Amino acid sequence: MKIGIDARFYGIKNKGLGRYTQKLIEELEKIDFENQYFIFLKKSNYDDYQPKNKNFKKVLANYPWYSLQEQIFFPIKIKKYKLDLMHYPHFNVPIFNPTKFVVTVHDLILFHFPSRAATLLNPLFYKIKQCGYKIVLKSALKKSKKVITVSNFTKNDILKNFKFVPSEKIIVVYEGANFYQDKQEASQNDYYNYYGQYLLYIGNAYPHKNLKILFDAFNLLKQEVQSLNLVIIGTNDYFFQKIKKENNQNKNIIFIDDVDDKDLLNIIKNALILISPSFYEGFGLTNVEAMLLGTPVIASDIEIFQEILKDAAAAFFNPSDSLDLFKKIKKFLNLSEDNKKVIIERGIALAQKYQWKKMAEETLKIYRQLQINKL
């Protein structure tokens, strides 16, 4: 079988979606020596991927995401390779895709949060863009042979909002969390000396990430714990710069916008707690990765975090109540070392259940099932 994978998001620079795409390909290389794969990459990440399995071939497909080039020229490129199956790790499937395909839908954030606060476009262009998103998403859900979601929450969200999608068409395949498993790769930088005792947030600064609640809770904490710092790691875009400017008078909030994986690993390991205040997520990979490294997680009390983190979270809090977050952080910090250790060990045990290898195996099973059933 000739299988194509849209890897234009490939690489950790493209956040969770890039991590998912990268690990899917890397793990498939280790387990599938039967099928032939064509990995479609942009010019910016073409050299980042070096095949380790002779059945995997790179293809340059330098078409920007969500663009007319993607819709018009990408299908022409795909058709050239006469594929049996195409896998899109994101919903941005060309409407005139020329072959049968599966699509991974991580979340419906763009569907639920079409806020003007989350864009720099003028209202007219933003409205056109949102309309385009919805058309492409609906087309992908309707025309795909299978829809892969990374949680039951996202599956149920699709079923609730897109009644034409049958439940049996959607298959839940959890993401993995063993990216940081080799702890020997951590950098030797001493982040305790850099930042002292610190709480940690990792992610973008879009409105649905709910960072204001975190800042408000931290300011309450600072009144009682003078030595505490808050480290914010994100991408240096407009939204990151905006919150950085809004909080530039608070010297205890440290913003980092450029960190490599080895340093990131060590920053996570040395944090007192990872805080996840988001209103909405599709999986929340950073939470699980932090737990794997022995860093406790305090997360907003939303359905997806309850599903993924279960009882391994240090605490859940009301994402609309900064006082509740303040109390939950304070309560954890005041626990005995033995009680903290119990929470940490519980988190590690849970995180070890999420494996990229398992994700790739279950995805490959879907490919093969489609071939057998000739759907």
Side-chain angles (χ1 to χ4, degrees):
M1 185 164 52
K2 296 170 70 174
I3 302 171
I5 298 179
D6 179 7
R8 290 174 300 143
F9 280 102
Y10 181 96
I12 59 171
K13 292 180 181 179
N14 293 311
K15 305 174 185 176
L17 183 54
R19 174 74 49 78
Y20 171 87
T21 305
Q22 178 178 340
K23 299 308 291 185
L24 172 64
I25 294 169
E26 289 177 352
E27 294 299 328
L28 284 172
E29 282 187 319
K30 298 174 184 177
I31 62 175
D32 192 358
F33 299 91
E34 177 184 348
N35 296 304
Q36 187 176 6
Y37 288 85
F38 295 87
I39 310 301
F40 296 89
L41 298 143
K42 292 175 67 177
K43 187 176 181 180
S44 59
N45 61 8
Y46 189 82
D47 293 333
D48 294 339
Y49 170 59
Q50 300 299 328
K52 296 180 175 61
N53 180 325
K54 63 181 180 60
N55 289 348
F56 285 68
K57 307 294 182 184
K58 296 198 296 184
V59 179
L60 181 62
N62 197 36
Y63 312 115
W65 313 308
Y66 319 119
S67 67
L68 285 176
Q69 297 99 306
E70 175 182 77
Q71 291 295 322
I72 297 171
F73 299 112
F74 196 18
I76 297 172
K77 174 77 75 170
I78 293 169
K79 189 173 182 179
K80 176 182 176 181
Y81 291 88
K82 299 179 180 179
L83 302 174
D84 298 299
L85 180 67
M86 186 74 184
H87 184 175
Y88 294 93
H90 191 40
F91 74 83
N92 58 326
V93 180
I95 292 175
F96 299 107
N97 173 76
T99 186
K100 71 180 180 181
F101 67 92
V102 297
V103 61
T104 301
V105 178
H106 296 261
D107 55 60
L108 297 182
I109 288 174
L110 290 172
F111 183 83
H112 288 298
F113 294 90
S115 170
R116 282 281 299 121
T119 183
L120 302 180
L121 297 176
N122 69 49
L124 176 60
F125 283 112
Y126 180 68
K127 189 172 182 179
I128 293 172
K129 183 179 179 181
Q130 284 300 119
C131 182
Y133 280 150
K134 290 180 180 180
I135 291 172
V136 171
L137 174 58
K138 288 180 180 179
S139 174
L141 292 171
K142 185 175 183 178
K143 295 179 181 179
S144 60
K145 297 301 179 182
K146 291 291 181 182
V147 176
I148 298 172
T149 64
V150 296
S151 64
N152 282 298
F153 169 75
T154 299
K155 176 178 179 176
N156 293 332
D157 206 13
I158 292 172
L159 293 175
K160 179 180 177 180
N161 290 282
F162 300 95
K163 304 295 186 182
F164 61 84
V165 182
S167 179
E168 61 271 17
K169 186 177 184 177
I170 305 176
I171 301 174
V172 177
V173 179
Y174 287 122
E175 294 184 0
N178 56 338
F179 182 80
Y180 298 116
Q181 206 160 30
D182 187 357
K183 299 182 182 180
Q184 299 304 314
E185 291 187 2
S187 71
Q188 299 305 309
N189 292 330
D190 187 349
Y191 287 96
Y192 180 81
N193 286 337
Y194 286 177
Y195 309 134
Q197 290 188 313
Y198 59 92
L199 309 177
L200 178 64
Y201 168 82
I202 301 174
N204 61 50
Y206 295 153
H208 75 273
K209 293 292 188 176
N210 195 29
L211 290 182
K212 185 179 184 304
I213 287 291
L214 175 56
F215 295 138
D216 289 347
F218 179 69
N219 287 330
L220 290 173
L221 275 168
K222 281 297 297 176
Q223 297 175 22
E224 299 190 17
V225 188
Q226 298 294 320
S227 61
L228 197 62
N229 292 318
L230 172 62
V231 174
I232 306 291
I233 299 179
T235 302
N236 193 27
D237 56 14
Y238 166 81
F239 302 101
F240 191 83
Q241 291 174 11
K242 184 173 183 290
I243 64 165
K244 187 175 180 179
K245 184 177 180 180
E246 291 171 350
N247 294 276
N248 64 356
Q249 298 301 314
N250 193 330
K251 302 305 180 184
N252 296 103
I253 301 179
I254 302 159
F255 293 89
I256 307 174
D257 57 50
D258 184 19
V259 57
D260 65 28
D261 273 352
K262 291 183 179 181
D263 282 340
L264 180 60
L265 188 158
N266 215 16
I267 292 172
I268 294 173
K269 286 176 62 178
N270 285 281
L272 294 173
I273 315 169
L274 178 81
I275 312 291
S276 290
S278 183
F279 284 122
Y280 184 101
E281 295 291 338
F283 183 84
L285 179 58
T286 303
N287 295 330
V288 185
E289 290 177 332
M291 285 181 169
L292 189 63
L293 288 174
T295 300
V297 172
I298 293 180
S300 53
D301 190 3
I302 56 178
E303 187 176 341
I304 181 60
F305 289 161
Q306 289 284 358
E307 175 186 346
I308 301 301
L309 303 180
K310 300 181 174 63
D311 63 349
F316 292 102
F317 68 94
N318 181 347
S320 299
D321 187 350
S322 59
L323 183 60
D324 187 33
L325 175 56
F326 158 73
K327 291 178 179 178
K328 297 295 171 57
I329 296 173
K330 183 180 176 182
K331 181 178 180 180
F332 176 82
L333 293 177
N334 289 332
L335 288 177
S336 69
E337 291 305 312
D338 285 343
N339 285 334
K340 288 179 182 178
K341 185 177 179 181
V342 169
I343 292 173
I344 289 170
E345 290 176 348
R346 199 163 59 204
I348 292 172
L350 175 73
Q352 288 174 339
K353 296 179 180 179
Y354 295 105
Q355 295 288 329
W356 289 116
K357 179 182 178 182
K358 183 179 180 182
M359 180 271 289
E361 290 172 343
E362 293 181 5
T363 303
L364 179 57
K365 183 179 178 181
I366 294 170
Y367 298 165
R368 288 171 172 164
Q369 198 64 48
L370 288 173
Q371 180 186 32
I372 292 171
N373 295 339
K374 297 182 179 180
L375 294 177

